[in-house]
Amino acid sequence: MQVFKKVIDFFTPGDAHPVNRLLTYYIMLTLIVWPLVYFFPVVDRALGGAVVDAPSAGSQMLVDALNGDTVRGFDSELSPRLELTLSTLIILIGVIALMLPVSWVYMATRYNKVHDQQVAQILIFLPLVVAGIIIVVQHSLALAFSLAGVVAAVRFRSTLKDVRDVVFIFLAIAVGFAAGVQALILAAIVSVLFNVVLMMTWRYDFGRGVLEPTNASRWSEPLRELAKKPGANNGAGVPDRDLVIALDQKQAEALAERFDRVHKLVGPVGKKARYNAVLVVITDNLQDAQIHVGQALDDVAKRWRLDEVRTVPGKPTELSYLVRVPKTVSRDDLLTAISTKAGEDIVSSDVQIAEEPKAKSEEAKA
Amino acid sequence: MRHALPMCLVLVLLTVFACERRSKADETTSKQDTSILETREARLEQSLASNDSTAKSNKPVARWLLPPELSEISGLALTGDDRLFAHNDESARISEIDYRRGTILKRFYAGEKSLRGDFESITFGDNRFFLLTSNGIIYQFPEGQQGERVDCTVFDTRLGNECEFEGMTYDPASKGLVLACKNVGKKKSDELVMYRYTPGDESGISEITVPQKDVIGKNPWKQVRPTDIALDPESGNFVLVAAQEKALIELTPTGGVVFARPLEGRHPQAEGVAITHDHILIISDESVAGAATLTLYRWPLH
């Protein structure tokens, strides 16, 4: 496996991009499997020949057992035992080859910081076991019923932390099933497509709410509420005591940093907030985007500052700006200005403009 | 990500290149195949025509290994123009085999694609195929094109309780079928039993019985249980094979024993027999420890 990794590293030098590495892996796998399929019919059968039971279109040359003038193929006459051994080995190796990238994708495309190592390992083991079981019970209703009986006797309960883990487990079972019935080609298509779709949804944050584009904006709402509370901490409010106690040092520091940032955003209590909008810009070209977005903000915003630069390997950079937008400038105006100045440098942009809190006197009247 | 598109293009190009190479390789193989097939046919003709010592030793003149789809080959049928057809034990997929060159020419299906059963024998007569199951059900159908599914007419001989059928041949003299029993009830256990049956005419069923002791003769068999039957087109006699006893038997149409002898050579499970107009005996063997086979001999045997 180390050799394989080195070869992939060679073809994708220094590329931390998981999509590129995945593509390289699949290309290499295709290059290895294709000649095997061509020259070894037993590999062809394990790949899908056994499932495709339909007759071939043309004529088929038989092997001459007396004179042995076989045209192509090195295993035209294998004993059933040898063929079973070989095909089982091919199936199981094929399962590992297909599930390795799935486990990589599982580990790479996490939305939280850590992945479940057990699940990552199960993604390799589970399809092996499933494929083995299917090979055993194949074509035998009696064995299938026996298996159901045995499985019913085993109590197995496990709770997965992430809903997405369940989908990975289902994929592992599907790959195991397909491989077990000698349809590795189906397993390959399912797993490759799964990986591609998953990478794309992760890459483009498919389904992400527009109203919560960044961590900063996620925090802004509850922290603003806290900040409104009069009292300690220069009127910025005090977070829940139990919440603070529950945090470790790192989390507490991060929270303090957030508070500080939000405090700067909203300004002192009773005064107008220094910033009233959060602008999120996604870019592949960080330097140019920063310059051009800055120019656009200079034109339309009263004041602004770059709040956060968020980078994730393999994904575009996310820039968060705190902006004071005048009343005369609408959300569309701001986005149009960004697009005009920095359209070529950015992938997308979005802005969240906060409603101005009503003045105390107005609230009293109401 | 900016490399992803070129990489995808490379993958597509590689696939196209591989397909192109494959088709070119297939063309090359096809030319090789033609040459090999011609050599095979010439070799067979030479073997059949030779009159040397090997010709008198009853050695096979050709043997073909059959693909997995025919691993349970169960019956053989020859058309009037000596084209050979075979079927598998459990499916009604009929394969045409060029036994002179060793190729499968086409496959077609009797009935629906999913039609399955314990098919034991096939024969051809009066421009129709007949496929027999072990419990005496006969499917009649015409010849189909490559991959075609042809409609079947089903006949029940109602003899399923009498015996377990394993062989069937068409007798042009009586324009009916002759069905050979592998296992019969205890009452007839000392007889080799065959039935004459004309599809659609249940009242015209007649029985041909041959005492087992006459069939066994001096051979060391306890009982002969035929697995297929064929008609010798020249003599009009019936030729039977029995897998378990490894026996080859010739009977007259009335049941007289012409000969009963052990089947020589490698025949792990002889399940089909056919005799061509140009004196070739064809025996098919199910896969036991290796591929199923089709073996050709000169006929009559010495």
Side-chain angles (χ1 to χ4, degrees):
Chain A
M1 218 36 74
Q2 201 62 25
V3 177
F4 221 48
K5 189 179 175 300
K6 278 182 183 171
V7 178
I8 294 173
D9 285 341
F10 177 77
F11 281 106
T12 54
D15 197 339
H17 208 299
V19 176
N20 286 355
R21 295 180 72 82
L22 202 64
L23 275 170
T24 311
Y25 177 84
Y26 281 129
I27 289 171
M28 283 173 53
L29 201 63
T30 310
L31 291 177
I32 292 169
V33 171
W34 185 76
L36 291 177
V37 170
Y38 186 83
F39 288 110
F40 297 93
V42 67
V43 180
D44 191 19
R45 283 196 286 279
L47 226 67
V51 169
V52 186
D53 198 27
S56 56
S59 63
Q60 181 185 352
M61 188 185 282
L62 303 174
V63 177
D64 188 342
L66 291 185
N67 300 290
D69 54 359
T70 308
V71 180
R72 179 172 66 78
F74 299 127
D75 63 348
S76 298
E77 190 189 8
L78 290 176
S79 75
R81 273 182 217 91
L82 183 61
E83 173 142 2
L84 181 66
T85 311
L86 278 177
S87 62
T88 306
L89 270 174
I90 291 163
I91 285 168
L92 297 183
I93 291 169
V95 165
I96 295 171
L98 288 176
M99 287 311 291
L100 263 180
V102 174
S103 67
W104 296 338
V105 168
Y106 169 76
M107 290 183 279
T109 59
R110 304 307 298 169
Y111 286 99
N112 27 355
K113 298 261 182 202
V114 288
H115 63 263
D116 191 336
Q117 191 186 1
Q118 281 186 338
V119 174
Q121 289 179 356
I122 280 172
L123 288 179
I124 308 290
F125 306 144
L126 182 64
L128 285 178
V129 177
V130 172
I133 290 170
I134 297 297
I135 293 168
V136 172
V137 302
Q138 212 178 167
H139 308 309
S140 171
L141 196 63
L143 279 175
F145 275 114
S146 309
L147 175 74
V150 171
V151 170
V154 179
R155 286 170 66 104
F156 179 74
R157 282 175 74 100
S158 180
T159 312
L160 293 165
K161 287 174 193 164
D162 193 339
V163 181
R164 292 187 343 139
D165 293 354
V166 182
V167 184
F168 278 92
I169 298 292
F170 276 136
L171 176 81
I173 294 170
V175 168
F177 255 93
V181 296
Q182 298 205 347
L184 268 174
I185 194 89
L186 292 183
I189 291 169
V190 170
S191 65
V192 170
L193 207 66
F194 176 88
N195 278 345
V196 169
V197 171
L198 194 77
M199 292 293 283
M200 291 301 148
T201 51
W202 171 76
R203 159 74 177 72
Y204 293 109
D205 273 342
F206 178 80
R208 184 176 181 176
V210 180
L211 293 176
E212 43 177 352
T214 60
N215 278 338
S217 64
R218 259 204 294 276
W219 278 96
S220 65
E221 193 71 24
L223 293 184
R224 186 181 299 160
E225 290 300 316
L226 280 171
K228 278 181 192 169
K229 286 181 183 174
N233 202 12
N234 293 331
V238 176
D240 185 283
R241 181 180 165 275
D242 292 336
L243 172 70
V244 174
I245 290 169
L247 302 173
D248 59 27
Q249 191 184 349
K250 215 173 181 181
Q251 288 169 327
E253 280 170 8
L255 191 62
E257 194 190 333
R258 290 276 174 217
F259 265 91
D260 187 41
R261 197 177 292 170
V262 173
H263 180 61
K264 282 175 187 167
L265 170 68
V266 296
V269 176
K271 286 192 175 181
K272 249 187 180 179
R274 283 185 62 74
Y275 304 101
N276 64 348
V278 176
L279 170 70
V280 179
V281 173
I282 313 280
T283 178
D284 277 321
N285 189 355
L286 180 59
Q287 224 169 356
D288 291 346
Q290 241 179 303
I291 296 166
H292 293 132
V293 171
Q295 287 169 355
L297 289 175
D298 285 341
D299 291 347
V300 293
K302 268 188 184 173
R303 69 179 76 89
W304 63 272
R305 81 181 175 84
L306 179 61
D307 180 56
E308 187 180 12
V309 178
R310 192 161 162 254
T311 53
V312 179
K315 293 181 82 176
T317 309
E318 191 177 286
L319 302 170
S320 300
Y321 291 87
L322 301 178
V323 186
R324 177 77 208 181
V325 185
K327 281 181 183 174
T328 52
V329 177
S330 69
R331 179 178 181 274
D332 287 346
D333 294 338
L334 181 61
L335 290 175
T336 307
I338 302 287
S339 172
T340 311
K341 288 273 184 190
E344 287 178 7
D345 307 311
I346 64 172
V347 178
S348 66
S349 63
D350 196 12
V351 67
Q352 184 188 11
I353 301 177
E355 280 181 27
E356 285 291 336
K358 288 173 184 172
K360 276 184 181 176
S361 56
E362 283 178 22
E363 276 179 24
K365 280 178 192 171
Chain B
M1 191 64 206
R2 76 176 66 126
H3 302 299
L5 195 63
M7 294 280 265
C8 281
L9 282 172
V10 168
L11 191 62
V12 170
L13 283 173
L14 275 170
T15 312
V16 171
F17 176 72
C19 291
E20 189 66 19
R21 293 289 300 167
R22 177 68 188 247
S23 66
K24 278 184 183 168
D26 284 349
E27 275 174 33
T28 317
T29 309
S30 174
K31 283 173 191 167
Q32 283 177 7
D33 288 356
T34 312
S35 151
I36 288 170
L37 293 178
E38 284 168 359
T39 312
R40 284 178 174 187
E41 191 169 21
R43 196 187 292 146
L44 178 68
E45 294 301 333
Q46 199 179 352
S47 298
L48 290 170
S50 71
N51 201 18
D52 55 11
S53 59
T54 54
K56 291 175 184 170
S57 63
N58 292 332
K59 287 197 170 168
V61 288
R63 175 174 285 142
W64 313 117
L65 301 183
L66 298 171
E69 69 186 54
L70 284 170
S71 61
E72 289 188 52
I73 185 169
S74 194
L76 296 174
L78 277 167
T79 58
D81 54 351
D82 276 349
R83 287 183 299 128
L84 183 72
F85 290 81
H87 70 95
N88 220 8
D89 191 314
E90 291 181 350
S91 72
R93 183 168 62 197
I94 316 298
S95 306
E96 184 183 353
I97 303 170
D98 183 346
Y99 55 90
R100 290 180 167 274
R101 295 172 159 224
T103 53
I104 292 181
L105 298 173
K106 71 173 179 186
R107 290 107 165 157
F108 68 95
Y109 295 91
E112 291 301 311
K113 200 168 185 174
S114 55
L115 182 64
R116 288 186 175 267
D118 187 17
F119 301 114
E120 294 296 350
S121 188
I122 187 170
T123 191
F124 184 87
D126 200 14
N127 256 340
R128 298 162 294 175
F129 281 98
F130 300 92
L131 191 62
L132 173 72
T133 63
S134 57
N135 58 356
I137 306 291
I138 294 173
Y139 295 85
Q140 177 195 295
F141 50 91
E143 184 180 345
Q145 300 299 314
Q146 161 65 28
E148 191 184 357
R149 273 177 260 172
V150 291
D151 286 337
C152 286
T153 309
V154 186
F155 301 98
D156 187 356
T157 59
R158 299 181 194 280
L159 293 168
N161 292 330
E162 302 290 323
C163 79
E164 181 191 347
F165 291 105
E166 272 273 327
M168 173 177 65
T169 190
Y170 185 80
D171 183 10
S174 63
K175 292 195 172 176
L177 300 168
V178 178
L179 316 178
C181 296
K182 182 182 178 185
N183 293 313
V184 289
K186 282 184 181 174
K187 284 181 186 175
K188 295 177 183 173
S189 61
D190 54 350
E191 290 173 331
L192 192 155
V193 181
M194 294 182 292
Y195 290 95
R196 284 188 182 277
Y197 170 76
T198 306
D201 181 16
E202 279 74 20
S203 59
I205 294 174
S206 61
E207 201 176 85
I208 307 169
T209 54
V210 187
Q212 283 279 358
K213 61 179 174 55
D214 291 355
V215 180
I216 293 168
K218 290 178 183 174
N219 292 295
W221 308 320
K222 287 182 182 173
Q223 196 179 17
V224 174
R225 282 162 288 188
T227 45
D228 201 16
I229 179 171
L231 190 86
D232 181 349
E234 195 161 288
S235 66
N237 289 343
F238 299 124
V239 176
L240 298 93
V241 286
Q244 206 163 327
E245 294 76 30
K246 286 194 177 183
L248 185 71
I249 301 140
E250 184 171 343
L251 302 174
T252 62
T254 52
V257 179
V258 179
F259 72 76
R261 59 192 289 175
L263 195 54
E264 290 170 16
R266 186 185 173 278
H267 288 288
Q269 195 166 343
E271 288 283 333
V273 62
I275 299 168
T276 67
H277 287 91
D278 56 349
H279 311 293
I280 299 174
L281 170 71
I282 306 170
I283 294 173
S284 63
D285 285 85
E286 263 191 33
S287 156
V288 175
T293 57
L294 202 66
T295 312
L296 278 61
Y297 297 92
R298 289 177 200 82
W299 180 257
L301 297 171
H302 288 277

